[in-house]
Short mmCIF file of all heavy atoms in Angstrom, two decimals:
data_model
loop_
_atom_site.label_atom_id
_atom_site.label_comp_id
_atom_site.label_asym_id
_atom_site.label_seq_id
_atom_site.Cartn_x
_atom_site.Cartn_y
_atom_site.Cartn_z
N GLN W 80 -8.62 -6.90 -19.62
CA GLN W 80 -9.51 -7.40 -20.76
C GLN W 80 -10.53 -8.40 -20.19
O GLN W 80 -10.29 -8.99 -19.15
CB GLN W 80 -8.63 -8.11 -21.77
CG GLN W 80 -7.63 -7.22 -22.41
CD GLN W 80 -6.72 -7.99 -23.36
OE1 GLN W 80 -6.28 -9.00 -23.00
NE2 GLN W 80 -6.44 -7.47 -24.51
N ARG W 81 -11.59 -8.46 -20.78
CA ARG W 81 -12.58 -9.54 -20.46
C ARG W 81 -12.87 -9.47 -19.00
O ARG W 81 -12.81 -10.49 -18.34
CB ARG W 81 -12.23 -10.91 -21.04
CG ARG W 81 -11.89 -10.94 -22.46
CD ARG W 81 -11.56 -12.28 -22.88
NE ARG W 81 -10.42 -12.94 -22.21
CZ ARG W 81 -9.13 -12.60 -22.50
NH1 ARG W 81 -8.82 -11.77 -23.41
NH2 ARG W 81 -8.24 -13.23 -21.75
N THR W 82 -13.27 -8.38 -18.36
CA THR W 82 -13.45 -8.23 -17.00
C THR W 82 -14.42 -9.31 -16.46
O THR W 82 -15.35 -9.73 -17.08
CB THR W 82 -13.96 -6.88 -16.69
OG1 THR W 82 -15.14 -6.54 -17.37
CG2 THR W 82 -12.89 -5.79 -16.89
N GLU W 83 -14.07 -9.74 -15.24
CA GLU W 83 -14.92 -10.69 -14.43
C GLU W 83 -15.38 -9.97 -13.18
O GLU W 83 -14.76 -9.00 -12.71
CB GLU W 83 -14.02 -11.89 -14.16
CG GLU W 83 -13.59 -12.62 -15.39
CD GLU W 83 -12.67 -13.77 -15.17
OE1 GLU W 83 -12.36 -14.03 -13.89
OE2 GLU W 83 -12.28 -14.52 -16.06
N ARG W 84 -16.35 -10.47 -12.56
CA ARG W 84 -16.94 -9.95 -11.33
C ARG W 84 -15.79 -9.89 -10.28
O ARG W 84 -15.76 -9.02 -9.40
CB ARG W 84 -18.06 -10.61 -10.89
CG ARG W 84 -19.37 -10.51 -11.82
CD ARG W 84 -20.62 -10.95 -11.24
NE ARG W 84 -21.70 -10.72 -12.16
CZ ARG W 84 -22.07 -11.57 -13.13
NH1 ARG W 84 -21.48 -12.81 -13.31
NH2 ARG W 84 -23.03 -11.25 -14.03
N GLY W 85 -14.93 -10.90 -10.32
CA GLY W 85 -13.88 -11.04 -9.25
C GLY W 85 -12.93 -9.91 -9.39
O GLY W 85 -12.01 -9.71 -8.51
N ASP W 86 -12.93 -9.23 -10.55
CA ASP W 86 -11.92 -8.16 -10.71
C ASP W 86 -12.30 -6.83 -9.93
O ASP W 86 -11.65 -5.82 -9.82
CB ASP W 86 -11.80 -7.73 -12.15
CG ASP W 86 -11.27 -8.85 -13.03
OD1 ASP W 86 -10.65 -9.75 -12.44
OD2 ASP W 86 -11.54 -8.83 -14.31
N SER W 87 -13.58 -6.87 -9.41
CA SER W 87 -14.18 -5.67 -8.63
C SER W 87 -13.23 -5.43 -7.53
O SER W 87 -13.02 -6.31 -6.65
CB SER W 87 -15.57 -5.88 -8.27
OG SER W 87 -16.36 -6.08 -9.33
N ALA W 88 -12.72 -4.22 -7.32
CA ALA W 88 -11.85 -3.81 -6.30
C ALA W 88 -11.50 -2.37 -6.49
O ALA W 88 -11.87 -1.75 -7.47
CB ALA W 88 -10.60 -4.65 -6.28
N VAL W 89 -10.70 -1.81 -5.53
CA VAL W 89 -10.10 -0.47 -5.78
C VAL W 89 -8.76 -0.72 -6.28
O VAL W 89 -7.92 -1.44 -5.71
CB VAL W 89 -10.08 0.25 -4.41
CG1 VAL W 89 -9.38 1.66 -4.69
CG2 VAL W 89 -11.52 0.49 -3.97
N TYR W 90 -8.39 -0.11 -7.34
CA TYR W 90 -7.08 -0.21 -7.94
C TYR W 90 -6.34 1.09 -7.54
O TYR W 90 -6.63 2.24 -7.81
CB TYR W 90 -7.14 -0.35 -9.46
CG TYR W 90 -7.61 -1.72 -9.82
CD1 TYR W 90 -9.05 -2.09 -9.79
CD2 TYR W 90 -6.76 -2.78 -10.06
CE1 TYR W 90 -9.53 -3.30 -10.00
CE2 TYR W 90 -7.18 -4.11 -10.42
CZ TYR W 90 -8.63 -4.26 -10.25
OH TYR W 90 -9.09 -5.63 -10.58
N LEU W 91 -5.11 0.80 -6.82
CA LEU W 91 -4.39 1.82 -6.28
C LEU W 91 -3.01 2.05 -7.12
O LEU W 91 -2.44 1.12 -7.52
CB LEU W 91 -3.94 1.60 -4.90
CG LEU W 91 -5.10 1.43 -3.80
CD1 LEU W 91 -4.59 0.83 -2.49
CD2 LEU W 91 -5.87 2.75 -3.67
N CYS W 92 -2.70 3.32 -7.27
CA CYS W 92 -1.44 3.61 -7.98
C CYS W 92 -0.57 4.31 -6.85
O CYS W 92 -1.10 5.16 -6.16
CB CYS W 92 -1.65 4.43 -9.19
SG CYS W 92 -0.08 4.96 -10.01
N ALA W 93 0.80 4.18 -6.99
CA ALA W 93 1.59 4.79 -6.13
C ALA W 93 2.95 5.11 -6.84
O ALA W 93 3.35 4.40 -7.76
CB ALA W 93 2.00 4.03 -4.76
N SER W 94 3.57 6.16 -6.42
CA SER W 94 4.85 6.58 -7.09
C SER W 94 5.96 6.79 -6.00
O SER W 94 5.55 7.16 -4.77
CB SER W 94 4.75 7.67 -8.09
OG SER W 94 4.48 8.88 -7.35
N SER W 95 7.16 6.67 -6.40
CA SER W 95 8.21 6.96 -5.38
C SER W 95 9.36 7.52 -6.16
O SER W 95 9.56 7.33 -7.37
CB SER W 95 8.60 5.88 -4.43
OG SER W 95 9.31 4.87 -5.14
N PHE W 96 10.28 8.13 -5.43
CA PHE W 96 11.58 8.82 -6.01
C PHE W 96 12.71 7.89 -6.02
O PHE W 96 12.91 7.17 -5.00
CB PHE W 96 11.86 10.07 -5.30
CG PHE W 96 12.92 10.85 -5.90
CD1 PHE W 96 12.78 11.45 -7.15
CD2 PHE W 96 14.18 11.03 -5.21
CE1 PHE W 96 13.86 12.23 -7.71
CE2 PHE W 96 15.20 11.82 -5.73
CZ PHE W 96 15.05 12.35 -7.05
N PHE W 97 13.45 7.77 -7.11
CA PHE W 97 14.59 6.87 -7.21
C PHE W 97 15.68 7.67 -7.74
O PHE W 97 15.64 8.28 -8.89
CB PHE W 97 14.18 5.75 -8.22
CG PHE W 97 15.09 4.51 -8.05
CD1 PHE W 97 14.64 3.34 -7.46
CD2 PHE W 97 16.45 4.59 -8.63
CE1 PHE W 97 15.57 2.33 -7.35
CE2 PHE W 97 17.19 3.57 -8.50
CZ PHE W 97 16.80 2.37 -7.89
N SER W 98 16.74 7.84 -6.91
CA SER W 98 17.89 8.65 -7.43
C SER W 98 19.17 7.92 -7.00
O SER W 98 19.31 7.44 -5.86
CB SER W 98 17.79 10.02 -6.74
OG SER W 98 18.96 10.74 -7.00
N SER W 99 20.18 8.00 -7.93
CA SER W 99 21.50 7.46 -7.73
C SER W 99 21.43 6.04 -7.21
O SER W 99 22.25 5.59 -6.28
CB SER W 99 22.24 8.37 -6.60
OG SER W 99 22.40 9.61 -7.14
N GLY W 100 20.61 5.26 -7.90
CA GLY W 100 20.52 3.88 -7.57
C GLY W 100 19.82 3.57 -6.17
O GLY W 100 19.78 2.43 -5.78
N ARG W 101 19.22 4.54 -5.56
CA ARG W 101 18.59 4.27 -4.32
C ARG W 101 17.16 4.78 -4.34
O ARG W 101 16.85 5.89 -4.75
CB ARG W 101 19.33 5.07 -3.19
CG ARG W 101 18.69 4.88 -1.91
CD ARG W 101 19.57 5.56 -0.79
NE ARG W 101 18.85 5.47 0.47
CZ ARG W 101 18.06 6.46 0.92
NH1 ARG W 101 17.95 7.58 0.19
NH2 ARG W 101 17.53 6.37 2.07
N ASN W 102 16.27 3.90 -3.99
CA ASN W 102 14.88 4.23 -3.93
C ASN W 102 14.58 4.78 -2.50
O ASN W 102 14.84 4.08 -1.50
CB ASN W 102 13.94 3.08 -4.23
CG ASN W 102 12.55 3.44 -4.40
OD1 ASN W 102 11.99 4.26 -3.71
ND2 ASN W 102 11.91 2.72 -5.36
N THR W 103 14.11 5.94 -2.38
CA THR W 103 13.84 6.51 -1.06
C THR W 103 12.82 5.63 -0.28
O THR W 103 12.68 5.80 0.90
CB THR W 103 13.36 7.96 -1.11
OG1 THR W 103 12.08 8.00 -1.78
CG2 THR W 103 14.38 8.76 -1.83
N GLY W 104 12.08 4.84 -1.03
CA GLY W 104 11.17 3.84 -0.32
C GLY W 104 9.79 4.32 -0.07
O GLY W 104 8.87 3.51 -0.23
N GLU W 105 9.59 5.56 0.26
CA GLU W 105 8.24 5.89 0.63
C GLU W 105 7.38 6.04 -0.62
O GLU W 105 7.76 6.60 -1.59
CB GLU W 105 8.20 7.43 1.21
CG GLU W 105 6.83 7.83 1.56
CD GLU W 105 6.83 9.24 2.24
OE1 GLU W 105 7.92 9.73 2.56
OE2 GLU W 105 5.71 9.77 2.51
N LEU W 106 6.22 5.32 -0.59
CA LEU W 106 5.26 5.45 -1.67
C LEU W 106 4.18 6.49 -1.35
O LEU W 106 3.73 6.56 -0.23
CB LEU W 106 4.64 4.02 -1.79
CG LEU W 106 5.25 3.03 -2.81
CD1 LEU W 106 6.71 2.78 -2.55
CD2 LEU W 106 4.44 1.82 -2.83
N PHE W 107 3.87 7.24 -2.39
CA PHE W 107 2.81 8.24 -2.35
C PHE W 107 1.64 7.69 -3.11
O PHE W 107 1.79 7.44 -4.39
CB PHE W 107 3.30 9.46 -2.87
CG PHE W 107 4.42 10.13 -1.97
CD1 PHE W 107 5.69 9.85 -2.30
CD2 PHE W 107 4.06 11.13 -1.07
CE1 PHE W 107 6.73 10.33 -1.45
CE2 PHE W 107 5.10 11.73 -0.33
CZ PHE W 107 6.40 11.33 -0.46
N PHE W 108 0.47 7.49 -2.43
CA PHE W 108 -0.56 6.78 -3.09
C PHE W 108 -1.60 7.90 -3.61
O PHE W 108 -1.82 8.98 -3.07
CB PHE W 108 -1.32 5.99 -2.06
CG PHE W 108 -0.61 4.67 -1.88
CD1 PHE W 108 0.41 4.60 -0.88
CD2 PHE W 108 -1.02 3.54 -2.57
CE1 PHE W 108 0.98 3.33 -0.73
CE2 PHE W 108 -0.36 2.31 -2.33
CZ PHE W 108 0.66 2.28 -1.37
#
Side-chain angles (χ1 to χ4, degrees):
Chain W
Q80 298 177 318
R81 304 183 304 280
T82 53
E83 300 178 356
R84 292 193 180 88
D86 299 335
S87 296
V89 176
Y90 288 82
L91 300 171
C92 178
S94 68
S95 70
F96 185 65
F97 197 104
S98 175
S99 300
R101 179 175 171 269
N102 191 323
T103 62
E105 178 180 355
L106 267 58
F107 294 83
F108 281 85

